[in-house]
Amino acid sequence: MRETLKKPPKLAADTLRVIPLGGHGDIGRNMSCFEINSQLLFIDCGVLFPSDDQPGVDLILPGLHLIEDRLDQVQALVLTHGHEDHIGAVPYLLRRRPDLPVYGSRLTLALVQAKLREHRVGQTNLHEVAEGDRVQAGEFNLEFFAVNHSIPDALAVALRTKAGSVLHTGDFKMDQLPLDHRLTDLRGFARLGEEGLDLFMPDSTNADTPGFTTGEREIEPAMERVFAQADKKLIVACFASHVHRVQQVMDAAARHRRKVVYVGRSMLRNMTVARELGFLRVPENTLIELKQIENYRDDEVVIISTGSQGEPLSALSRISNHEHPVITAGPGDVVLLASSLIPGNENSVYRVINALIRNGVNVVHKGNALVHVSGHASAGELLYCYNLLTPKNVLPVHGEARHLIANAKLAISTGVPPERTFAVEDGAVIDLAKGVARQVGQLECGYIFVDGLTEGEIGDAELTDRKILGEEGFITVIAVVNLHSAELVSGPDIHARGFAEDDSVFDEIRPELAAALRRSLADGADDTYVLQQLLRRLIGRWVNNNFRRRPMILPIVVAS
């Protein structure tokens, strides 16, 4: 699968170039770039959440640097659905080009708008589309198809260009009894196949799982048992955008006469949006606010929480560590993890599970009960699609290497030639012309880390320092003063480990620190401890305002 770097040739006229900018090798940061006749189009723009060996990193963005100097040529961004790994990086893209036309379904755009408000990104150009709609975006004719997923209002998108036709599924499965009665549009897929499909880009997340993905309704008996047997506090953790799962919990809570409270900012935001748009039905007198929870017994409430992936700052992690200001979990309480494990998060999740169990909590999860089903098509569904569409070329998307390769093998088993099947990693350059696709290059598509308010690459040395020194890094500030003459003799000198690779980042704050020391000395300060606290306060405030970070700060003031 791994290719050495190779600069692609100049793109020929009427040839479609496809470059995955994320999602090929990771479960996350999904983004694909299409180019024809000097016009570009993006599908999805998501984030990847950091693993344990990336301390202090908040988010990881797709390879936006590869197209940074060509944003004026982008005709549109198309969003397939509202999960973070598909929309989480939209604010970072729109900061670079606020007027970029963005197409998505009603729920997807509502979630994006809420996210943009949080990031204070304005002047947006959002366009609502639905299944069956067709849109012309420059050289790209777009058609949208309903697909079933673990979030409502998901779409697949077909691109028709002078070079040929493409179907990008986004995330999908083929649940035959979906909770929202919205089936994957297999008739539309069949029509595309009859027209002749030049390139198929299917979801790969479950490609190495045999058979068909279990339907959402299948978890209801296990969930019902959990509710029936829980006689104390019940906490359900799931993805903050998993509207279908929250609906199931909401309905079970109403049957068992429990009030529901959301815990976690993203959960509250997303479910408020989903309810306002009619995608989430809340039974009357069921939902309460967190501050009201003390008015009810433990067995009268169910808490729907974020943190199913063990995120350190999530509500569930804080509950497991006795750090949540309102909610505790102890002997006899039940925590239901109604989600799957994203690869790379296993250690974090089991850390939370172990902490809860040590506290006497009964933890129910996918490993010991049928309390979660996937939102992605398994091998049987993918084979069905290959046979329905009979694509000429296949570029699997969304998955680690094992998923992409498994998907490619499925395509080959249905008759797609091996040389027309591309299990490639991020940065691969695939050209399509006259019904034939081939890989013509490989670009470096490294990680872009978001770290507080900073955005860019973090080197291996800095990540190693962070593991040793703590997630936020370490800053030392050293100054020499003469207390008798009230003078600053030297400094302040500032050095960092695990915070920034270059100490020049502190050039802005050094003069301010020096001036503050001189003022304090002139005002009669004669205690090095007081001066050290002054330095700690000033640089701590500056770091927080400029980087949203909280490194360990060690100020040292030496009296000469």
Side-chain angles (χ1 to χ4, degrees):
M1 178 177 174
R2 180 168 292 278
E3 297 282 343
T4 56
L5 295 182
K6 176 186 174 185
K7 186 177 179 180
K10 182 179 178 180
L11 185 59
D14 294 343
T15 297
L16 179 67
R17 176 162 288 175
V18 186
I19 304 177
L21 301 180
H24 288 239
D26 296 302
I27 304 292
R29 69 173 197 147
N30 297 295
M31 186 173 187
S32 298
C33 175
F34 301 82
E35 178 184 1
I36 187 169
N37 296 332
S38 300
Q39 295 187 7
L40 279 67
L41 179 133
F42 300 147
I43 293 182
D44 288 331
C45 187
V47 295
L48 172 68
F49 293 100
S51 59
D52 284 348
D53 61 353
Q54 294 162 329
V57 175
D58 298 321
L59 300 169
I60 302 171
L61 304 181
L64 300 179
H65 59 287
L66 292 179
I67 43 81
E68 191 111 37
D69 59 347
R70 301 189 62 193
L71 289 179
D72 59 324
Q73 298 175 299
V74 183
Q75 305 303 302
L77 165 65
V78 176
L79 301 174
T80 60
H81 65 283
H83 280 152
E84 284 292 303
D85 59 335
H86 291 257
I87 69 169
V90 172
Y92 301 92
L93 175 61
L94 294 188
R95 278 201 195 110
R96 292 162 163 85
R97 187 179 158 196
D99 67 335
L100 177 63
V102 180
Y103 293 90
S105 67
R106 187 176 178 217
L107 177 60
T108 301
L109 291 187
L111 295 175
V112 167
Q113 283 178 312
K115 183 174 292 295
L116 293 175
R117 283 194 295 270
E118 274 191 10
H119 285 258
R120 298 179 182 177
V121 177
Q123 299 179 329
T124 51
N125 186 8
L126 306 183
H127 302 271
E128 183 182 317
V129 292
E131 55 264 31
D133 288 351
R134 293 186 73 152
V135 172
Q136 191 71 37
E139 291 267 351
F140 303 91
N141 182 268
L142 311 175
E143 183 177 4
F144 298 92
F145 301 86
V147 291
N148 182 251
H149 187 41
S150 56
I151 187 172
D153 226 13
L155 296 168
V157 57
L159 283 64
R160 293 180 175 87
T161 72
K162 292 174 183 175
S165 58
V166 180
L167 175 62
H168 190 299
T169 65
D171 287 351
F172 85 110
K173 62 178 178 178
M174 290 162 52
D175 193 337
Q176 298 304 295
L177 296 170
L179 296 177
D180 59 1
H181 308 290
R182 188 171 176 270
L183 294 163
T184 293
D185 186 4
L186 297 178
R187 290 182 178 178
F189 283 15
R191 173 169 52 79
L192 282 177
E194 290 172 0
E195 292 176 9
L197 183 63
D198 295 295
L199 180 62
F200 186 34
M201 299 176 67
D203 176 12
S204 302
T205 311
N206 267 3
D208 60 350
T209 302
F212 281 62
T213 300
T214 305
E216 291 284 338
R217 296 180 187 274
E218 298 300 311
I219 73 167
E220 290 180 359
M223 187 176 290
E224 184 67 22
R225 283 194 297 273
V226 171
F227 271 81
Q229 295 170 9
D231 54 10
K232 294 187 72 176
K233 190 175 299 173
L234 175 57
I235 301 172
V236 180
C238 65
F239 292 119
S241 54
H242 200 332
V243 179
H244 292 323
R245 191 59 35 80
V246 171
Q247 184 68 68
Q248 289 171 303
V249 175
M250 194 76 69
D251 293 342
R255 288 194 299 271
H256 290 268
R257 304 192 179 190
R258 285 186 181 245
K259 302 295 184 182
V260 172
V261 59
Y262 301 135
V263 178
R265 185 164 53 96
S266 56
M267 179 70 72
L268 177 60
R269 178 194 67 205
N270 291 347
M271 293 309 134
T272 300
V273 168
R275 183 183 187 183
E276 289 174 349
L277 296 181
F279 291 99
L280 178 68
R281 302 177 307 281
V282 178
E284 190 175 357
N285 298 321
T286 298
L287 192 63
I288 63 172
E289 296 183 16
L290 181 59
K291 63 184 179 183
Q292 298 175 281
I293 198 171
E294 61 186 21
N295 299 330
Y296 298 89
R297 299 193 314 268
D298 285 351
D299 63 350
E300 294 178 326
V301 176
V302 57
I303 297 157
I304 305 180
S305 167
T306 57
S308 62
Q309 298 304 305
E311 304 94 317
L313 298 180
S314 66
L316 188 62
S317 290
R318 295 168 68 198
I319 292 168
S320 72
N321 294 325
H322 306 289
E323 294 174 352
H324 196 277
V326 178
I327 298 170
T328 60
D333 294 334
V334 177
V335 169
L336 169 59
L337 293 176
S339 64
S340 61
L341 277 175
I342 293 178
N345 292 346
E346 294 89 350
N347 291 340
S348 298
V349 173
Y350 286 120
R351 188 181 301 122
V352 171
I353 290 175
N354 286 327
L356 290 167
I357 290 174
R358 279 194 294 267
N359 296 339
V361 177
N362 177 24
V363 182
V364 182
H365 54 87
K366 186 180 178 182
N368 57 27
L370 182 57
V371 291
H372 173 72
V373 295
S374 175
H376 303 271
S378 295
E381 291 149 280
L382 291 170
L383 287 170
Y384 188 101
C385 288
Y386 284 127
N387 289 325
L388 188 68
L389 290 160
T390 59
K392 298 174 185 174
N393 304 272
V394 172
L395 173 59
V397 297
H398 307 173
E400 296 180 338
R402 59 194 173 97
H403 305 119
L404 300 171
I405 292 171
N407 205 347
K409 288 180 178 178
L410 293 174
I412 293 168
S413 71
T414 63
V416 181
E419 66 274 14
R420 300 286 174 257
T421 306
F422 304 91
V424 297
E425 59 186 21
D426 296 332
V429 183
I430 309 294
D431 282 359
L432 174 69
K434 298 178 180 179
V436 176
R438 56 194 181 95
Q439 183 170 0
V440 298
Q442 178 69 43
L443 305 174
E444 178 60 50
C445 190
Y447 284 170
I448 300 176
F449 295 100
V450 176
D451 184 358
L453 292 182
T454 61
E455 181 185 318
E457 294 186 2
I458 296 176
D460 291 339
E462 185 176 343
L463 287 174
T464 300
D465 285 344
R466 289 186 179 189
K467 293 174 196 174
I468 298 169
L469 300 171
E471 289 192 357
E472 302 290 346
F474 189 96
I475 297 174
T476 58
V477 187
I478 304 171
V480 180
V481 300
N482 188 321
L483 296 177
H484 299 293
S485 61
E487 291 179 334
L488 175 62
V489 178
S490 68
D493 296 321
I494 310 175
H495 304 282
R497 294 289 300 275
F499 178 82
E501 291 189 341
D502 188 348
D503 289 340
S504 64
V505 72
F506 301 108
D507 289 348
E508 175 188 335
I509 189 64
R510 279 193 185 91
E512 183 180 335
L513 296 179
L517 286 173
R518 291 190 180 100
R519 283 194 303 270
S520 187
L521 289 165
D523 289 342
D526 59 358
D527 187 338
T528 56
Y529 176 78
V530 172
L531 297 174
Q532 286 171 175
Q533 293 305 103
L534 172 65
L535 290 175
R536 185 195 304 276
R537 252 192 335 270
L538 289 175
I539 197 166
R541 185 184 306 128
W542 179 81
V543 166
N544 182 61
N545 289 341
N546 289 276
F547 298 93
R548 292 291 189 269
R549 298 263 302 279
R550 298 186 65 183
M552 183 183 296
I553 298 173
L554 178 61
I556 302 171
V557 177
V558 179
S560 64

